[in-house]
Amino acid sequence: MQKVKFDSRAFVPIATAILSLVFIGVGLNKFGFWDGQPTPAFFPTIIAVVLFATSLMCLVQELRSNQASPSYNKNELCVIVGCWVIGLIPSCLLYLLLWLKAVERTPWKVVILIEVFMAVLIIGVFVIWMQVQFPMGLFAYIM
């Protein structure tokens, strides 16, 4: 029998499994699943069930893994902190800008073109057309 090792990599599947159970519970109890036609919780509940199943599979895979303990880079947290401070869309566009200029050394003309295209795509498709509400960060409290 293989020794089961529990480290920080198991926290993400556990957290997503708990989150999916919350979404399933709220979706089914508050909105229902099917009432002669799909309810507002129809697709979110299906996605939450898939998330729960994949979280369990990922947890089993992580517990069986023989890999060394993970190492974390403080720069990886910059996007998370950026989402919390300035919001998801600005932090993604800022990350893209910094990546293209600092890492890829892309010319400014190409960077500006890509930034404008991504901003129009994100805002046009997701915010205006699909009406997705992205995290606004601390700006939501200022406005």
Side-chain angles (χ1 to χ4, degrees), residues 74-91:
K74 66 179 181 175
N75 294 332
E76 295 169 351
L77 298 176
C78 289
V79 174
I80 296 170
V81 171
C83 290
W84 184 73
V85 174
I86 64 173
L88 182 63
I89 296 172
S91 67

Side-chain angles (χ1 to χ4, degrees), residues 11-25 48 51-52 55-56:
F11 288 126
V12 172
I14 291 170
T16 55
I18 292 169
L19 184 67
S20 67
L21 290 174
V22 169
F23 273 94
I24 291 169
L51 177 63
F52 182 72
S55 296
L56 290 181

Side-chain angles (χ1 to χ4, degrees), residues 42-97:
F42 180 74
F43 282 115
T45 304
I46 291 173
I47 297 299
V49 168
V50 172
L51 177 63
F52 182 72
T54 55
S55 296
L56 290 181
M57 288 186 282
C58 185
L59 180 62
V60 169
Q61 182 180 8
E62 288 300 328
L63 292 177
R64 289 184 177 175
S65 175
N66 289 331
Q67 294 177 350
S69 293
S71 61
Y72 298 101
N73 184 349
K74 66 179 181 175
N75 294 332
E76 295 169 351
L77 298 176
C78 289
V79 174
I80 296 170
V81 171
C83 290
W84 184 73
V85 174
I86 64 173
L88 182 63
I89 296 172
S91 67
C92 287
L93 293 174
L94 180 64
Y95 176 79
L96 181 62
L97 173 81

Side-chain angles (χ1 to χ4, degrees), residues 115-134:
E115 287 285 326
V116 168
F117 175 76
M118 290 305 296
V120 168
L121 181 73
I122 292 169
I123 294 169
V125 172
F126 291 104
V127 175
I128 296 172
W129 181 34
M130 298 176 74
Q131 297 179 351
V132 175
Q133 294 182 2
F134 289 105

